[in-house]
Amino acid sequence: PDFKPLDPEADTAQTALDARELTAATLAFTSYFQLIDPAAFLEDPKTSGLTARSINFRNWTIIGAELLITGGVAQTGAAVELEMRLFDTVKGRSVIGKRYRGRQADLRKIVRKFCSEVIFFLTGDRGYFNSEIAFISTGTGNKEIFIAEFDGRNPAQFTRTKDITLSPAWSPGGNWLAYTAYPKNKPNLYIKHRRQQRGYEVANKGLNITPAWRPRPRADGNLEQEQLAATLSFTGDQEIYLLTGKGKIIKRLTKSWGSDVSPTWSPDGKRIAFVSNRSGNPQIYVKDLESGRVDRFTYQGRYNTQPSWSPKGDRIAYSGMEGGRNDIYVAGFDGRPPAQLTREAGNNESPSWSPDGSMIVFSSNREGRARIFVMTAFGTDQRRLLTLPGEQTNPQWSPNTGL
Protein backbone atom coordinates (compact mmCIF):
# COMPACT_ATOMS: atom_id res chain seq x y z
CA PRO A 1 0.00 0.00 0.00
CA ASP A 2 0.91 3.69 -0.27
CA PHE A 3 3.75 4.87 1.95
CA LYS A 4 2.68 7.58 4.36
CA PRO A 5 4.18 10.79 5.71
CA LEU A 6 5.62 10.50 9.20
CA ASP A 7 5.14 14.26 9.52
CA PRO A 8 1.64 15.24 8.30
CA GLU A 9 2.79 18.82 7.80
CA ALA A 10 5.67 17.94 5.44
CA ASP A 11 5.31 17.51 1.70
CA THR A 12 6.63 13.98 1.12
CA ALA A 13 4.09 12.83 -1.47
CA GLN A 14 6.55 12.34 -4.34
CA THR A 15 9.21 10.67 -2.19
CA ALA A 16 6.60 8.34 -0.68
CA LEU A 17 5.33 7.43 -4.15
CA ASP A 18 8.86 6.84 -5.46
CA ALA A 19 9.80 4.68 -2.46
CA ARG A 20 6.66 2.56 -2.75
CA GLU A 21 7.09 2.03 -6.50
CA LEU A 22 10.78 1.19 -6.11
CA THR A 23 9.97 -1.36 -3.42
CA ALA A 24 7.29 -3.01 -5.54
CA ALA A 25 9.45 -3.09 -8.67
CA THR A 26 12.50 -4.44 -6.83
CA LEU A 27 10.59 -7.29 -5.20
CA ALA A 28 8.63 -8.09 -8.37
CA PHE A 29 11.89 -8.42 -10.31
CA THR A 30 12.85 -11.49 -8.25
CA SER A 31 9.87 -13.53 -9.51
CA TYR A 32 9.31 -14.71 -5.92
CA PHE A 33 6.24 -12.53 -5.46
CA GLN A 34 2.87 -11.87 -6.99
CA LEU A 35 1.91 -8.31 -6.14
CA ILE A 36 -1.78 -7.74 -5.52
CA ASP A 37 -3.50 -5.00 -7.51
CA PRO A 38 -4.18 -2.02 -5.20
CA ALA A 39 -7.72 -1.94 -6.59
CA ALA A 40 -8.37 -5.10 -4.55
CA PHE A 41 -7.26 -3.58 -1.24
CA LEU A 42 -9.91 -3.44 1.46
CA GLU A 43 -7.87 -1.12 3.70
CA ASP A 44 -8.47 2.59 3.23
CA PRO A 45 -5.02 4.00 2.34
CA LYS A 46 -5.87 7.25 4.12
CA THR A 47 -6.64 5.60 7.45
CA SER A 48 -4.63 2.36 7.46
CA GLY A 49 -1.69 2.31 9.86
CA LEU A 50 2.00 1.45 9.71
CA THR A 51 2.34 -0.79 12.77
CA ALA A 52 0.78 -4.09 13.83
CA ARG A 53 -1.55 -2.43 16.35
CA SER A 54 -3.16 -0.29 13.68
CA ILE A 55 -3.51 -2.97 10.96
CA ASN A 56 -6.56 -5.16 10.45
CA PHE A 57 -4.76 -8.24 9.13
CA ARG A 58 -7.98 -9.94 8.09
CA ASN A 59 -8.47 -7.23 5.49
CA TRP A 60 -5.23 -8.50 3.91
CA THR A 61 -5.60 -12.25 4.30
CA ILE A 62 -9.09 -12.17 2.82
CA ILE A 63 -7.70 -10.84 -0.47
CA GLY A 64 -4.89 -13.40 -0.46
CA ALA A 65 -2.03 -11.29 0.86
CA GLU A 66 0.49 -13.41 2.80
CA LEU A 67 2.98 -10.60 3.29
CA LEU A 68 2.45 -6.89 3.80
CA ILE A 69 4.96 -4.03 3.62
CA THR A 70 4.24 -0.64 5.11
CA GLY A 71 6.38 2.44 4.79
CA GLY A 72 6.58 5.86 6.39
CA VAL A 73 8.55 8.79 4.98
CA ALA A 74 10.00 11.93 6.54
CA GLN A 75 11.90 14.52 4.58
CA THR A 76 13.83 17.66 5.46
CA GLY A 77 15.45 19.31 2.48
CA ALA A 78 17.69 16.69 0.84
CA ALA A 79 17.58 14.43 3.93
CA VAL A 80 15.20 11.45 3.91
CA GLU A 81 14.10 9.06 6.63
CA LEU A 82 12.21 5.84 5.89
CA GLU A 83 10.50 3.47 8.29
CA MET A 84 9.77 0.14 6.59
CA ARG A 85 8.14 -2.98 8.00
CA LEU A 86 7.34 -6.46 6.76
CA PHE A 87 4.34 -8.28 8.26
CA ASP A 88 3.24 -11.90 8.19
CA THR A 89 -0.47 -11.32 7.69
CA VAL A 90 -1.45 -14.91 8.50
CA LYS A 91 0.22 -14.78 11.92
CA GLY A 92 -0.62 -11.11 12.32
CA ARG A 93 2.83 -10.04 13.40
CA SER A 94 5.76 -7.89 12.32
CA VAL A 95 8.83 -9.83 11.17
CA ILE A 96 11.09 -6.99 10.00
CA GLY A 97 11.20 -3.37 11.09
CA LYS A 98 13.90 -0.97 9.91
CA ARG A 99 14.57 2.76 9.97
CA TYR A 100 16.89 4.28 7.40
CA ARG A 101 18.32 7.78 7.09
CA GLY A 102 20.07 9.19 4.03
CA ARG A 103 19.87 11.68 1.21
CA GLN A 104 17.16 11.90 -1.38
CA ALA A 105 19.72 10.56 -3.86
CA ASP A 106 20.11 7.46 -1.66
CA LEU A 107 16.46 6.44 -1.94
CA ARG A 108 17.14 3.56 -4.33
CA LYS A 109 19.92 2.21 -2.08
CA ILE A 110 17.70 2.46 0.98
CA VAL A 111 14.85 0.57 -0.68
CA ARG A 112 17.21 -2.11 -1.94
CA LYS A 113 18.71 -2.52 1.51
CA PHE A 114 15.27 -3.22 2.94
CA CYS A 115 14.40 -5.56 0.07
CA SER A 116 17.60 -7.49 0.82
CA GLU A 117 16.33 -7.93 4.37
CA VAL A 118 13.03 -9.28 3.03
CA ILE A 119 14.76 -11.79 0.76
CA PHE A 120 17.10 -12.85 3.55
CA PHE A 121 14.15 -13.46 5.89
CA LEU A 122 12.42 -15.63 3.30
CA THR A 123 15.36 -17.50 1.73
CA GLY A 124 18.44 -17.11 3.92
CA ASP A 125 20.28 -15.40 1.03
CA ARG A 126 20.97 -11.69 0.58
CA GLY A 127 19.75 -11.65 -3.00
CA TYR A 128 21.48 -9.52 -5.60
CA PHE A 129 20.20 -5.99 -5.06
CA ASN A 130 23.73 -4.62 -4.60
CA SER A 131 25.05 -6.17 -7.80
CA GLU A 132 25.63 -5.00 -11.35
CA ILE A 133 25.80 -6.58 -14.79
CA ALA A 134 28.63 -5.97 -17.26
CA PHE A 135 28.01 -6.69 -20.93
CA ILE A 136 29.24 -5.91 -24.44
CA SER A 137 27.36 -3.36 -26.54
CA THR A 138 27.96 -2.25 -30.13
CA GLY A 139 25.96 0.96 -29.81
CA THR A 140 29.06 3.15 -30.18
CA GLY A 141 30.08 1.45 -33.41
CA ASN A 142 32.62 -0.69 -31.55
CA LYS A 143 32.36 -3.53 -29.06
CA GLU A 144 32.64 -1.83 -25.67
CA ILE A 145 31.87 -2.91 -22.11
CA PHE A 146 28.85 -1.30 -20.46
CA ILE A 147 27.68 -1.72 -16.86
CA ALA A 148 24.08 -1.54 -15.63
CA GLU A 149 22.40 -2.07 -12.30
CA PHE A 150 21.05 -5.59 -11.68
CA ASP A 151 17.65 -4.65 -13.13
CA GLY A 152 19.02 -2.92 -16.23
CA ARG A 153 18.70 0.61 -14.89
CA ASN A 154 21.33 3.29 -15.51
CA PRO A 155 23.54 1.59 -18.12
CA ALA A 156 26.87 3.36 -18.56
CA GLN A 157 29.85 2.82 -20.83
CA PHE A 158 32.91 1.42 -19.02
CA THR A 159 35.57 0.94 -21.73
CA ARG A 160 36.49 3.28 -24.56
CA THR A 161 38.90 1.15 -26.55
CA LYS A 162 37.27 2.12 -29.88
CA ASP A 163 37.99 -1.42 -30.98
CA ILE A 164 36.88 -4.96 -30.08
CA THR A 165 36.36 -5.65 -26.37
CA LEU A 166 35.21 -9.04 -25.07
CA SER A 167 34.80 -11.31 -22.04
CA PRO A 168 34.22 -8.99 -19.05
CA ALA A 169 34.94 -10.71 -15.72
CA TRP A 170 34.34 -9.35 -12.21
CA SER A 171 36.84 -9.72 -9.39
CA PRO A 172 35.49 -11.34 -6.19
CA GLY A 173 34.95 -7.98 -4.48
CA GLY A 174 33.54 -6.31 -7.60
CA ASN A 175 36.29 -3.66 -7.62
CA TRP A 176 38.08 -4.83 -10.76
CA LEU A 177 37.10 -5.96 -14.25
CA ALA A 178 39.29 -8.13 -16.44
CA TYR A 179 38.56 -8.29 -20.16
CA THR A 180 40.08 -8.91 -23.58
CA ALA A 181 40.72 -6.09 -26.02
CA TYR A 182 42.37 -6.06 -29.45
CA PRO A 183 44.88 -3.21 -29.82
CA LYS A 184 46.50 -3.54 -33.23
CA ASN A 185 44.45 -6.70 -33.84
CA LYS A 186 46.19 -8.60 -31.01
CA PRO A 187 44.09 -9.95 -28.12
CA ASN A 188 45.53 -8.81 -24.78
CA LEU A 189 44.10 -8.97 -21.28
CA TYR A 190 43.31 -5.81 -19.35
CA ILE A 191 42.63 -5.48 -15.65
CA LYS A 192 40.91 -2.20 -14.80
CA HIS A 193 39.57 -0.76 -11.55
CA ARG A 194 35.80 -0.35 -11.50
CA ARG A 195 35.86 3.33 -10.49
CA GLN A 196 39.46 4.52 -10.61
CA GLN A 197 41.50 5.22 -13.74
CA ARG A 198 44.15 2.58 -13.13
CA GLY A 199 44.85 -0.93 -14.30
CA TYR A 200 47.23 -3.42 -15.92
CA GLU A 201 47.84 -4.97 -19.32
CA VAL A 202 48.72 -8.63 -19.94
CA ALA A 203 50.40 -8.84 -23.33
CA ASN A 204 52.08 -12.21 -23.69
CA LYS A 205 52.89 -13.48 -27.16
CA GLY A 206 49.84 -14.92 -28.89
CA LEU A 207 46.32 -14.94 -27.44
CA ASN A 208 45.41 -13.60 -23.99
CA ILE A 209 41.68 -14.26 -23.61
CA THR A 210 38.70 -15.41 -21.46
CA PRO A 211 39.72 -14.27 -17.96
CA ALA A 212 37.98 -15.61 -14.83
CA TRP A 213 38.75 -14.50 -11.27
CA ARG A 214 39.32 -17.10 -8.58
CA PRO A 215 36.74 -16.79 -5.76
CA ARG A 216 37.98 -16.01 -2.28
CA PRO A 217 36.20 -15.10 0.95
CA ARG A 218 36.27 -11.57 2.32
CA ALA A 219 37.63 -10.09 -0.90
CA ASP A 220 38.87 -6.55 -0.25
CA GLY A 221 39.95 -5.46 -3.72
CA ASN A 222 43.67 -5.96 -3.03
CA LEU A 223 45.09 -7.27 -6.31
CA GLU A 224 48.09 -8.72 -4.46
CA GLN A 225 45.69 -11.28 -2.96
CA GLU A 226 43.70 -12.03 -6.12
CA GLN A 227 44.23 -14.66 -8.81
CA LEU A 228 42.60 -15.32 -12.14
CA ALA A 229 42.60 -17.97 -14.82
CA ALA A 230 42.91 -17.12 -18.49
CA THR A 231 43.71 -18.74 -21.80
CA LEU A 232 47.17 -17.94 -23.20
CA SER A 233 48.82 -19.30 -26.35
CA PHE A 234 52.44 -18.16 -26.14
CA THR A 235 53.56 -21.83 -26.34
CA GLY A 236 51.49 -22.44 -29.49
CA ASP A 237 48.53 -24.28 -27.88
CA GLN A 238 45.64 -22.46 -26.24
CA GLU A 239 45.99 -23.49 -22.59
CA ILE A 240 44.60 -22.16 -19.32
CA TYR A 241 47.01 -20.56 -16.87
CA LEU A 242 46.72 -19.29 -13.32
CA LEU A 243 47.74 -15.62 -13.04
CA THR A 244 48.22 -13.14 -10.24
CA GLY A 245 45.74 -10.31 -9.91
CA LYS A 246 48.13 -8.16 -11.94
CA GLY A 247 48.54 -10.74 -14.69
CA LYS A 248 51.81 -12.47 -13.83
CA ILE A 249 51.89 -16.18 -14.70
CA ILE A 250 51.85 -18.48 -11.66
CA LYS A 251 51.44 -21.87 -13.34
CA ARG A 252 49.81 -23.75 -16.18
CA LEU A 253 46.47 -25.39 -15.33
CA THR A 254 45.65 -27.43 -18.46
CA LYS A 255 47.70 -29.45 -20.91
CA SER A 256 46.22 -31.11 -23.96
CA TRP A 257 46.64 -31.21 -27.70
CA GLY A 258 43.45 -29.19 -28.22
CA SER A 259 42.33 -25.70 -27.28
CA ASP A 260 41.30 -25.07 -23.65
CA VAL A 261 39.33 -21.85 -23.13
CA SER A 262 36.59 -20.15 -21.09
CA PRO A 263 37.46 -21.17 -17.50
CA THR A 264 34.90 -20.76 -14.72
CA TRP A 265 35.65 -21.43 -11.04
CA SER A 266 33.81 -23.49 -8.48
CA PRO A 267 32.77 -21.30 -5.53
CA ASP A 268 35.46 -22.80 -3.28
CA GLY A 269 38.18 -22.04 -5.85
CA LYS A 270 39.36 -25.67 -5.95
CA ARG A 271 38.06 -26.65 -9.40
CA ILE A 272 37.65 -25.11 -12.82
CA ALA A 273 35.25 -25.96 -15.60
CA PHE A 274 36.41 -25.08 -19.09
CA VAL A 275 35.79 -25.72 -22.78
CA SER A 276 38.06 -28.05 -24.72
CA ASN A 277 37.97 -29.70 -28.12
CA ARG A 278 40.29 -32.50 -26.96
CA SER A 279 37.52 -35.01 -27.79
CA GLY A 280 36.96 -33.53 -31.23
CA ASN A 281 34.13 -31.08 -30.64
CA PRO A 282 33.87 -28.35 -27.98
CA GLN A 283 32.74 -29.89 -24.69
CA ILE A 284 32.93 -28.83 -21.05
CA TYR A 285 35.43 -30.44 -18.72
CA VAL A 286 36.08 -30.08 -14.98
CA LYS A 287 39.53 -30.17 -13.40
CA ASP A 288 40.26 -30.65 -9.71
CA LEU A 289 43.31 -28.49 -9.04
CA GLU A 290 44.47 -30.46 -6.01
CA SER A 291 44.39 -33.94 -7.55
CA GLY A 292 44.89 -32.86 -11.17
CA ARG A 293 42.00 -35.07 -12.28
CA VAL A 294 40.06 -33.96 -15.36
CA ASP A 295 36.54 -35.24 -16.08
CA ARG A 296 34.31 -34.57 -19.04
CA PHE A 297 31.15 -32.82 -17.86
CA THR A 298 28.93 -32.60 -20.98
CA TYR A 299 28.02 -35.52 -23.22
CA GLN A 300 24.66 -34.48 -24.67
CA GLY A 301 25.08 -32.44 -27.83
CA ARG A 302 28.13 -31.94 -30.02
CA TYR A 303 28.88 -28.27 -29.26
CA ASN A 304 28.80 -27.04 -25.64
CA THR A 305 30.52 -23.82 -24.58
CA GLN A 306 30.44 -20.80 -22.22
CA PRO A 307 30.21 -22.58 -18.84
CA SER A 308 29.21 -20.63 -15.71
CA TRP A 309 29.49 -22.32 -12.30
CA SER A 310 26.59 -21.60 -9.94
CA PRO A 311 27.34 -19.72 -6.68
CA LYS A 312 26.06 -22.68 -4.67
CA GLY A 313 28.46 -25.00 -6.47
CA ASP A 314 25.93 -27.65 -7.46
CA ARG A 315 25.28 -26.78 -11.12
CA ILE A 316 26.89 -25.39 -14.24
CA ALA A 317 24.99 -23.37 -16.83
CA TYR A 318 26.25 -23.38 -20.40
CA SER A 319 25.34 -22.74 -24.02
CA GLY A 320 24.68 -25.83 -26.11
CA MET A 321 24.00 -26.09 -29.83
CA GLU A 322 21.28 -28.38 -31.15
CA GLY A 323 19.97 -28.19 -34.71
CA GLY A 324 22.04 -25.11 -35.47
CA ARG A 325 20.57 -23.13 -32.58
CA ASN A 326 22.18 -22.20 -29.26
CA ASP A 327 20.21 -22.62 -26.05
CA ILE A 328 20.94 -22.37 -22.34
CA TYR A 329 21.27 -25.61 -20.38
CA VAL A 330 21.94 -26.34 -16.73
CA ALA A 331 23.45 -29.58 -15.44
CA GLY A 332 24.43 -30.81 -12.00
CA PHE A 333 26.87 -33.39 -10.73
CA ASP A 334 24.24 -36.00 -9.91
CA GLY A 335 24.29 -37.77 -13.27
CA ARG A 336 20.88 -36.47 -14.35
CA PRO A 337 20.44 -35.20 -17.92
CA PRO A 338 20.92 -31.46 -18.40
CA ALA A 339 17.84 -29.25 -18.16
CA GLN A 340 17.15 -27.08 -21.20
CA LEU A 341 16.06 -23.61 -20.03
CA THR A 342 15.50 -21.84 -23.37
CA ARG A 343 13.91 -23.24 -26.48
CA GLU A 344 12.47 -22.10 -29.82
CA ALA A 345 13.38 -18.46 -29.14
CA GLY A 346 16.37 -17.57 -31.29
CA ASN A 347 19.96 -18.09 -30.17
CA ASN A 348 20.59 -17.91 -26.42
CA GLU A 349 24.15 -17.65 -25.14
CA SER A 350 26.54 -16.53 -22.37
CA PRO A 351 24.68 -17.52 -19.19
CA SER A 352 25.85 -15.94 -15.92
CA TRP A 353 24.42 -16.52 -12.43
CA SER A 354 23.17 -13.90 -9.99
CA PRO A 355 25.19 -13.76 -6.73
CA ASP A 356 22.57 -15.82 -4.87
CA GLY A 357 22.08 -18.35 -7.66
CA SER A 358 18.38 -17.59 -8.07
CA MET A 359 18.57 -16.02 -11.54
CA ILE A 360 20.54 -16.27 -14.77
CA VAL A 361 21.35 -13.45 -17.17
CA PHE A 362 22.03 -14.31 -20.82
CA SER A 363 22.00 -12.86 -24.33
CA SER A 364 19.36 -13.71 -26.91
CA ASN A 365 18.44 -12.58 -30.42
CA ARG A 366 14.83 -13.76 -30.09
CA GLU A 367 13.65 -10.21 -30.87
CA GLY A 368 15.97 -9.80 -33.85
CA ARG A 369 19.03 -8.07 -32.48
CA ALA A 370 20.93 -9.58 -29.57
CA ARG A 371 19.71 -8.24 -26.22
CA ILE A 372 20.32 -9.02 -22.55
CA PHE A 373 17.66 -11.19 -20.89
CA VAL A 374 17.15 -12.63 -17.42
CA MET A 375 15.26 -15.67 -16.15
CA THR A 376 14.94 -17.66 -12.97
CA ALA A 377 17.42 -20.47 -12.36
CA PHE A 378 14.69 -22.88 -13.53
CA GLY A 379 14.15 -21.06 -16.84
CA THR A 380 10.86 -19.36 -15.95
CA ASP A 381 9.91 -15.70 -16.31
CA GLN A 382 12.26 -14.94 -19.21
CA ARG A 383 12.32 -11.23 -20.00
CA ARG A 384 14.46 -8.58 -21.63
CA LEU A 385 16.56 -6.54 -19.22
CA LEU A 386 17.21 -3.43 -21.31
CA THR A 387 17.32 -2.06 -24.83
CA LEU A 388 20.21 0.02 -26.15
CA PRO A 389 21.39 0.96 -29.64
CA GLY A 390 23.28 -1.79 -31.40
CA GLU A 391 23.49 -5.30 -29.95
CA GLN A 392 24.19 -6.42 -26.38
CA THR A 393 25.96 -9.69 -25.62
CA ASN A 394 28.24 -11.54 -23.17
CA PRO A 395 26.64 -10.45 -19.86
CA GLN A 396 28.45 -11.12 -16.59
CA TRP A 397 26.71 -10.71 -13.22
CA SER A 398 28.85 -9.14 -10.49
CA PRO A 399 29.02 -10.20 -6.86
CA ASN A 400 27.09 -8.11 -4.35
CA THR A 401 29.35 -5.11 -3.94
CA GLY A 402 27.49 -2.80 -1.59
CA LEU A 403 28.50 0.12 -3.81
Side-chain angles (χ1 to χ4, degrees):
D2 294 344
F3 287 7
K4 298 177 176 56
L6 295 174
D7 179 1
E9 303 300 323
D11 183 8
T12 61
Q14 188 59 51
T15 302
L17 177 63
D18 291 345
R20 185 245 173 222
E21 291 183 347
L22 280 170
T23 304
T26 302
L27 293 175
F29 184 87
T30 67
S31 298
Y32 286 148
F33 306 96
Q34 179 182 352
L35 273 67
I36 295 176
D37 187 338
F41 293 176
L42 300 179
E43 289 272 309
D44 183 347
K46 295 181 180 179
T47 60
S48 60
L50 301 176
T51 63
R53 289 184 178 181
S54 56
I55 295 172
N56 184 343
F57 288 104
R58 179 161 174 74
N59 282 343
W60 296 108
T61 57
I62 202 171
I63 64 170
E66 298 174 83
L67 299 167
L68 170 68
I69 290 175
T70 65
V73 181
Q75 188 170 355
T76 305
V80 172
E81 179 179 316
L82 257 67
E83 285 186 9
M84 303 181 73
R85 294 177 176 85
L86 175 71
F87 297 93
D88 179 332
T89 60
V90 177
K91 296 181 179 178
R93 63 185 181 94
S94 172
V95 291
I96 299 175
K98 297 289 182 178
R99 178 178 293 161
Y100 304 97
R101 293 184 178 90
R103 301 168 300 163
Q104 177 73 24
D106 297 326
L107 189 63
R108 191 183 304 277
K109 291 182 180 179
I110 291 172
V111 166
R112 289 179 174 178
K113 194 172 184 67
F114 178 77
C115 290
S116 293
E117 296 285 351
V118 174
I119 297 300
F120 182 73
F121 169 75
L122 294 171
T123 70
D125 288 309
R126 289 292 179 184
Y128 43 75
F129 301 136
N130 290 322
S131 66
E132 299 174 295
I133 295 173
F135 57 92
I136 304 300
S137 180
T138 63
T140 63
N142 302 294
K143 291 187 174 183
E144 301 281 8
I145 296 174
F146 282 65
I147 297 174
E149 296 176 26
F150 75 90
D151 54 3
R153 295 176 186 255
N154 300 318
Q157 187 173 345
F158 177 69
T159 62
R160 287 174 170 79
T161 64
K162 298 181 180 179
D163 208 323
I164 298 173
T165 310
L166 299 172
S167 305
W170 293 94
S171 68
N175 296 295
W176 296 86
L177 271 171
Y179 56 91
T180 299
Y182 283 71
K184 299 179 181 179
N185 295 319
K186 180 185 178 301
N188 291 338
L189 287 181
Y190 292 84
I191 300 164
K192 185 177 179 182
H193 195 275
R194 170 70 179 85
R195 300 185 181 278
Q196 301 171 6
Q197 295 300 315
R198 59 191 177 102
Y200 303 88
E201 181 182 14
V202 182
N204 298 297
K205 178 183 176 182
L207 302 175
N208 303 269
I209 59 174
T210 60
W213 296 86
R214 189 175 198 170
R216 72 182 183 95
R218 297 181 296 278
D220 56 8
N222 181 3
L223 278 189
E224 301 294 339
Q225 305 296 321
E226 305 289 5
Q227 295 179 343
L228 68 158
T231 294
L232 312 178
S233 68
F234 62 89
T235 63
D237 278 343
Q238 296 181 32
E239 303 288 354
I240 297 172
Y241 290 78
L242 183 67
L243 311 177
T244 69
K246 294 183 179 179
K248 302 292 184 182
I249 296 175
I250 299 174
K251 62 180 179 180
R252 184 169 171 172
L253 297 181
T254 64
K255 187 175 183 179
S256 72
W257 67 266
S259 297
D260 298 333
V261 298
S262 302
T264 180
W265 291 90
S266 63
D268 60 8
K270 295 181 178 180
R271 292 179 291 170
I272 58 168
F274 60 95
V275 177
S276 178
N277 63 356
R278 61 185 66 186
S279 61
N281 296 308
Q283 297 290 344
I284 297 169
Y285 292 77
V286 173
K287 179 171 184 176
D288 185 298
L289 299 187
E290 293 181 357
S291 67
R293 176 175 172 172
V294 178
D295 294 303
R296 182 169 166 177
F297 182 75
T298 53
Y299 288 90
Q300 178 177 305
R302 293 176 53 83
Y303 201 99
N304 297 304
T305 61
Q306 301 173 324
S308 177
W309 211 309
S310 75
K312 297 187 183 300
D314 58 341
R315 294 182 290 172
I316 293 175
Y318 61 93
S319 175
M321 180 181 289
E322 288 282 354
R325 174 183 291 167
N326 287 303
D327 278 299
I328 307 298
Y329 295 80
V330 169
F333 295 86
D334 53 8
R336 295 181 181 179
Q340 183 176 347
L341 303 190
T342 63
R343 61 182 72 244
E344 300 178 357
N347 283 297
N348 303 276
E349 302 178 282
S350 302
S352 177
W353 298 84
S354 64
D356 66 347
S358 68
M359 300 196 78
I360 295 173
V361 64
F362 62 101
S363 65
S364 176
N365 66 357
R366 62 186 63 185
E367 296 179 352
R369 290 189 167 189
R371 303 293 187 206
I372 305 301
F373 284 72
V374 292
M375 60 182 166
T376 71
F378 301 99
T380 59
D381 200 14
Q382 299 182 18
R383 59 201 190 272
R384 177 172 30 83
L385 193 66
L386 73 162
T387 300
L388 293 175
E391 294 194 312
Q392 289 77 54
T393 58
N394 201 197
Q396 288 293 307
W397 212 316
S398 83
N400 275 319
T401 62
L403 297 176

